[in-house]
């Protein structure tokens, strides 16, 4: 019983800042916030959601304000930016305003389900990991809404990455992750790539800097609203990043 | 245990600093071809080598094909066993409806 008391005190001192970069997510934002509240409120987890909207023309920020009124400004924090800027700078912008010692990053398009957040937190605590990353490729994880071609590209790219970089992590391009705040800051500063390959570089740099990484299997439900994208440009971007990391790390 | 962990960590650091992944591949390939060339070039003499010369000659291609077959098999196997999260999709659909109902009741307009 005494141990439980100590545990809950440690838990109390931890705070999780969830960064939600948004661009035209008017439809999805209320749902994702509702789900986050549903799974975290009353669980004893101290958290805040930081919405970083890059001047969405669909008025995402207006909906975000309504949500802030509904759930309180200690839970929902708005840190909008004027226009669409890079993902890396969105993270830095969010970290600057985060009051938590842990940062959780997820997509606001409902492909990442907040029900996994408590699992991320639990796994982090077990081994005091610097990073916990969601993986679609491990047992218990998976995807919904992908056709054969999409699966083939995904599995093929992953096979190649595993062979060339041997990262020790099964999913490198996923972006549902938990970081210690100082670790994330250090990683963002040491990364050079833009776009979605940025996620891959973050994990490779983390390995290089000897940070410990845990994994949680996640289900990835491809965008319920809106179009998903995987074209030629993404594949070329990926190949370039892979070769760059292969030759330099 | 802790000591072993520390040492392996140290090893990791040293390896990373010295060699990029590209260099690791180049050195492994060089080692392979050095051995291969010493066998086909007659630098090492043994009846067993001479009797199996044709096998040795084509061995790089043979290994390449073998690896190709392995890669295709593994990737295709993983594609066909890629978990389709039907349940996760249905759960999300249900929760979206719940959220819509609840948020609308609370006066949210979007």
């Amino acid at each position: 019983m005494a141990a439980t008391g100590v545990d809950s005190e440690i838990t109390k001192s931890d705070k999780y800042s969830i960064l939600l970069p948004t661009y035209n997510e008017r439809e999805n934002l209320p749902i994702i916030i509702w789900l986050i509240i549903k799974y975290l409120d009353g669980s004893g987890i101290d958290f805040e959601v930081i919405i970083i909207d890059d001047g969405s023309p669909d008025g995402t920020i207006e909906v975000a304000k309504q949500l802030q009124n509904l759930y309180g400004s200690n839970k929902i924090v708005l840190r909008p930016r004027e226009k669409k800027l890079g993902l890396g700078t969105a993270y830095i912008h969010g970290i600057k305003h985060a009051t938590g010692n842990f940062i959780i990053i997820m997509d606001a398009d409902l492909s990442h389900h907040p029900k996994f957040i408590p699992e991320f937190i639990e796994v982090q605590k077990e081994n005091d990991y610097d990073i916990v990353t969601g993986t679609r490729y491990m047992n218990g994880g998976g995807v919904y809404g992908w056709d054969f071609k999409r699966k083939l590209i995904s599995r093929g790219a992953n096979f190649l990455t595993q062979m060339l970089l041997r990262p020790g992590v099964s999913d490198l391009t996923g972006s549902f992750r938990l970081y210690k705040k100082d670790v994330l800051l250090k990683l963002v500063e040491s990364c050079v790539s833009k776009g979605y390959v940025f996620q891959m570089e973050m994990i490779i740099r983390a390995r290089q800097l000897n940070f410990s990484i845990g994994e949680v299997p996640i289900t990835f439900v491809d965008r319920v609203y809106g179009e998903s994208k995987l074209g030629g440009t993404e594949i070329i971007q990926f190949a370039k990043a892979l070769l760059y990391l292969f030759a330099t790390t | 245990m802790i000591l072993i962990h520390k040492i392996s960590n140290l090893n990791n650091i040293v390896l990373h600093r010295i060699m990029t992944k590209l260099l690791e591949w180049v050195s492994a390939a060089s080692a392979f071809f050095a051995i291969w060339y010493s066998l086909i070039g007659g630098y090492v003499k043994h009846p067993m080598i001479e009797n199996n010369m044709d096998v040795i000659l084509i061995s790089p291609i043979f290994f390449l094909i073998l690896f190709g077959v392995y890669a295709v098999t593994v990737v295709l196997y993983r594609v066909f066993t890629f978990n389709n999260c039907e349940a996760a999709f249905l759960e999300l659909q249900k929760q979206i409806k719940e959220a819509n109902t609840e948020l609308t009741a609370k006066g949210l307009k979007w």
Side-chain angles (χ1 to χ4, degrees), chain A residues 26-28 30-31 34-35 38-39 62-63 66-67 70-71 110-111 113 115 136-137 140-146 148 151-156 158-159 162-167 207-210 218-222 224-225 245-249, chain B residues 5-6 8-13 15-17 19-26 67-68 70-72 74-103 106-110:
Chain A
R26 192 188 175 95
E27 291 287 323
N28 297 322
I31 318 283
W34 184 85
L35 285 168
K38 178 184 164 81
Y39 285 93
E62 193 267 319
V63 180
Q66 287 187 48
L67 288 160
L70 188 60
Y71 292 114
L110 300 178
S111 55
H113 200 295
K115 71 181 170 190
R136 296 160 290 185
Y137 302 119
V143 292
Y144 175 85
W146 282 14
F148 176 80
K151 283 181 177 173
L152 185 66
I153 292 171
S154 172
R155 284 300 201 183
N158 189 257
F159 182 85
Q162 294 296 338
M163 189 177 78
L164 294 182
L165 302 180
R166 297 198 304 280
R207 274 275 172 253
Q208 214 180 8
L209 297 166
N210 254 28
I218 57 157
T219 53
F220 181 92
V221 177
D222 213 353
V224 182
Y225 299 114
L245 292 171
F246 179 61
T248 58
T249 66
Chain B
H5 190 69
K6 281 250 166 69
S8 78
N9 263 347
L10 200 69
N11 265 334
N12 273 339
I13 295 169
L15 275 178
H16 281 302
R17 291 280 151 81
M19 267 201 195
T20 63
K21 288 287 184 287
L22 174 65
L23 265 178
E24 284 177 27
W25 278 74
V26 169
F67 176 74
Y70 164 76
V72 169
V74 167
V75 169
L76 281 180
Y77 174 78
R78 287 178 181 168
V79 168
F80 288 115
T81 56
F82 211 157
N83 189 13
N84 271 315
C85 323
E86 189 79 27
F89 171 73
L90 294 174
E91 184 194 25
L92 182 62
Q93 290 301 331
K94 201 171 131 252
Q95 290 180 328
I96 288 173
K97 281 201 192 98
E98 278 175 46
N100 279 332
T101 316
E102 200 182 309
L103 290 169
K106 284 184 172 165
L108 198 84
K109 289 187 182 69
W110 80 102

Side-chain angles (χ1 to χ4, degrees), chain B residues 29-85:
Chain B
S30 312
F32 175 82
F33 280 107
I35 294 168
W36 181 72
Y37 191 74
S38 71
L39 295 182
I40 60 158
Y43 297 99
V44 187
K45 286 199 181 356
H46 191 277
M48 224 169 54
I49 295 166
E50 276 140 43
N51 292 338
N52 296 299
M53 188 49 86
D54 31 354
V55 178
I56 294 169
L57 264 172
I58 60 154
S59 65
I61 296 164
F62 174 74
F63 285 128
L64 202 67
I65 292 170
L66 205 65
F67 176 74
V69 170
Y70 164 76
V72 169
T73 312
V74 167
V75 169
L76 281 180
Y77 174 78
R78 287 178 181 168
V79 168
F80 288 115
T81 56
F82 211 157
N83 189 13
N84 271 315
C85 323

Side-chain angles (χ1 to χ4, degrees), chain A residues 200-225:
Chain A
M200 175 162 82
E201 188 180 357
M202 293 261 274
I203 286 291
I204 300 298
R205 298 280 175 224
R207 274 275 172 253
Q208 214 180 8
L209 297 166
N210 254 28
F211 290 129
S212 59
I213 306 171
E215 291 190 284
V216 170
I218 57 157
T219 53
F220 181 92
V221 177
D222 213 353
R223 314 190 75 164
V224 182
Y225 299 114

Side-chain angles (χ1 to χ4, degrees), chain A residues 167-233:
Chain A
V169 174
S170 61
D171 191 346
L172 288 103
T173 47
S175 54
F176 194 0
R177 292 179 187 155
L178 180 152
Y179 297 89
K180 286 179 178 167
K181 183 153 77 177
D182 51 329
V183 168
L184 178 61
L185 202 58
K186 209 166 175 181
L187 287 176
V188 173
E189 280 166 358
S190 57
C191 284
V192 294
S193 49
K194 301 265 178 286
Y196 89 109
V197 289
F198 176 71
Q199 307 297 351
M200 175 162 82
E201 188 180 357
M202 293 261 274
I203 286 291
I204 300 298
R205 298 280 175 224
R207 274 275 172 253
Q208 214 180 8
L209 297 166
N210 254 28
F211 290 129
S212 59
I213 306 171
E215 291 190 284
V216 170
I218 57 157
T219 53
F220 181 92
V221 177
D222 213 353
R223 314 190 75 164
V224 182
Y225 299 114
E227 293 273 298
S228 60
K229 42 177 177 12
L230 185 73
T233 16

Side-chain angles (χ1 to χ4, degrees), chain A residues 62-99:
Chain A
E62 193 267 319
V63 180
K65 277 177 191 150
Q66 287 187 48
L67 288 160
Q68 191 180 40
N69 290 335
L70 188 60
Y71 292 114
S73 54
N74 60 329
K75 285 272 176 285
I76 312 289
V77 182
L78 309 183
R79 294 286 174 250
R81 301 190 295 176
E82 286 290 305
K83 57 176 169 55
K84 205 166 175 18
L85 300 157
L87 203 57
T89 59
Y91 292 165
I92 292 174
H93 184 76
I95 295 165
K96 254 192 284 178
H97 297 101
T99 59

